[in-house]
Amino acid sequence: MERAPTETPDGEMSDGEMSDGETPEGETPDGESIRVWMVERTYARDEQNVVVTYATRDGARCLRKQLTRRIHLDPVTAALDASPDRLRPVEETERRERYAAEAARMADGHDPDDRV
């Protein structure tokens, strides 16, 4: 069974396990979590902070996480499992398509817990 970090309600990361019944978009049948893939990393001007964007395989929903220097202690992984209520819709068609393409590339080339 593949393992990927899971986001807890307070935004921290913990180990999680992917369900056998996961759907193509990453949502588990029980609705507990959705697998999202890293699609974008943006650095702040001071390079002290980074915003990592994860998206569903279809690019329709995303999660943004702002990380500080702690990123060196908690590396960014290829995917994580997030609570559905933490995801927001991706409104722009172009961005949604870009996120879908990048999520597919990450999913095809990495295990969820690979450091990227």
Side-chain angles (χ1 to χ4, degrees):
M1 184 66 46
E2 295 180 38
R3 296 184 63 80
T6 301
E7 183 184 12
T8 63
D10 61 359
E12 295 297 315
M13 304 295 278
S14 64
D15 287 337
E17 190 167 321
M18 187 171 71
S19 167
D20 287 333
E22 185 177 350
T23 65
E25 292 79 26
E27 187 166 358
T28 56
D30 58 12
E32 286 185 21
S33 64
I34 295 176
R35 170 72 42 90
V36 290
W37 295 87
M38 201 273 287
V39 295
E40 188 173 71
R41 186 182 340 227
T42 307
Y43 293 92
R45 284 186 215 188
D46 62 7
E47 296 186 18
Q48 297 286 326
N49 297 306
V50 63
V51 176
V52 179
T53 304
Y54 289 86
T56 55
R57 291 270 319 240
D58 62 4
R61 294 182 282 175
C62 71
L63 168 70
R64 288 193 173 90
K65 297 187 67 66
Q66 182 171 345
L67 305 172
T68 59
R69 282 232 179 245
R70 191 172 165 206
I71 192 170
H72 300 294
L73 300 174
D74 295 327
V76 175
T77 57
L80 59 89
D81 294 331
S83 172
D85 62 337
R86 302 281 307 202
L87 302 177
R88 63 184 194 190
V90 177
E91 302 293 338
E92 300 170 22
T93 302
E94 185 178 310
R95 184 180 304 253
R96 189 170 44 247
E97 291 171 354
R98 183 167 47 89
Y99 283 179
E102 185 63 17
R105 187 184 73 77
M106 290 296 284
D108 291 343
H110 296 279
D111 288 330
D113 59 351
D114 284 352
R115 293 179 179 190
V116 293

